[in-house]
Amino acid sequence: MSNHMPKPSRRQGLHFEPLWWLLFSAGGVCFAVFVPAVALIFGVLWPLGIIDISLAQLQGYYSSLWGLVFTGAVIFLPAFHAAHRIRHAFHDFKLGGGSTTAFICCGTAAVVSFVAIWAWFMLPG
Amino acid sequence: MSYKPQLTGSWWLKHRFFKAYMLREATVIPLAFLLCSLLAGAFSLQDPERFQHWQAFMSNPLVILVHTLALTTSLYHAATFFVLFPRVMPIRVGNYQLPARYLVLAQWGAVWLVVALFIWLFAFGGQS
Amino acid sequence: MRSIQVLRYLPEESPQPFLQSFQVPVTDSTSVLDALNYIKESLDPTLSFRWSCRMAICGSCGVMVNGIPKLGCKDFLRNYPNDLIIEPLAHLPVERDLVVNMDSFLRHLEAVKPYLIEGKNAADSSQPNRQTPAQMARYQQFANCINCGLCYAACPQFGLNPEFTGPAAIALAHRYNLDSRDSGKAQRMAPLNSKNGVWSCTFVGFCSEVCPKGVDPAAAVNQGKVESAKSMLIQLFSGRAIGGAGQ
């Protein structure tokens, strides 16, 4: 960093906590509003054979723009929500929770989100 | 001369309220598992054989058990999260403060609406 | 008569705190503070504890009762049919018996400037500061704080990190930020924006549970996160440093 800036840096005193918190909050809403339905359909009803879902039907839905919305609301935001809580749990258990933990947790969430968006792009349609 | 007791990493075991807090924080563990399952699912859509493998994985009784846990904990998370919303972002129209219970009810309404939407999409094929 | 236990700390006698049992007379209206006063007057004059008003407004007599922060004058022995253990407030250094050192709390309180700061929102100094009931309603809830420190004893994040500004100080900062007569928000945002400010909170929410005056400090802290996020975004895009001093 240059130390002959004409005035104090506009980044002075700033940090990433507000960003992680906004992602955490948005993810918390998605976790509460969308995840129950997704867990019910894909995690319980479909595997138990109560409802039948075909590959063609899933491909149809997922390859549309709604697939990207699904990725954002059910994978990307909840992943950052989970990362934030896990990071703070490390702090609560006195096992870290500082910037290294934040980097690992949010980094994992970023990788998961990237892979999810990549999966959407890989699907023809 | 003074002493200061230090908190240990197990401070949250000392009181019911703190255990409920940790349970709230732990709801993300089954969520993380569900996210990984869904991620695998997103990749399996490219090829019918992979899709069958994914379906077999999702039908494993242990996996169903964890996903049932994810469903339960997502509802517990919702119950704890919805009451926080009106406290963090109180909604005020002019001088009228919208009562918190309406905001909580509206959020539960959204949950059931999304459940209904998914059942309509997947159990009825999106047809009326 | 019933038995209660008090955590004693007499540094000139023993370097370790120890529990001591006392037999106290009890009626339906005996408060924890009444029991402590009985011990001091009739059983052991060396017992040290703070108290003053006996009516839950001075905020001096905070103690842990069975591990929960309480005002001694507002909590009654009838609520504890079984064991009753009185300890000094958690997360603060203990000087003697039930007397804790409140310096760190007061330091955090001082840092957020919990008083009206004059500026563009204040009336001309020859005029009274007028405020409508609606303007007052915006902050009144947070103005009920009596600085008793129970919320600090309840907050595990303050216990883990004593540099955390903490519930009462942030609630009071928020109270003045919401006041239509105040112009000091820019000065208060610097401590609130820091990692030890609002961002150390994980919304455990126990502070609001134990508050004897019904203040909701957890709500204030988390409304403070929204305000802090806004303030930091404004700084990032406008280049004006947070804190406002000299800018």
Side-chain angles (χ1 to χ4, degrees), chain A residues 38-51, chain B residues 58 64 67-69 71:
Chain A
V38 173
L40 179 70
I41 298 287
F42 294 103
V44 182
L45 295 184
W46 176 53
L48 290 178
I50 296 169
I51 59 169
Chain B
M58 295 296 272
I64 295 180
H67 286 158
T68 310
L69 189 67
L71 171 62

Side-chain angles (χ1 to χ4, degrees), chain B residues 75-96:
Chain B
L75 292 173
Y76 179 70
H77 161 79
T80 59
F81 206 76
F82 290 164
V83 294
L84 299 187
F85 180 74
R87 289 168 71 189
V88 180
M89 290 190 194
I91 292 183
R92 183 182 290 276
V93 184
N95 288 332
Y96 176 71

Side-chain angles (χ1 to χ4, degrees), chain A residues 35-79:
Chain A
V35 170
V38 173
L40 179 70
I41 298 287
F42 294 103
V44 182
L45 295 184
W46 176 53
L48 290 178
I50 296 169
I51 59 169
D52 186 44
I53 302 172
S54 72
L55 174 59
Q57 190 189 10
L58 274 184
Q59 280 173 333
Y61 287 146
Y62 195 65
S63 61
S64 73
L65 259 186
W66 290 109
L68 196 61
V69 173
F70 179 91
T71 304
V74 180
I75 298 183
F76 162 65
L77 288 172

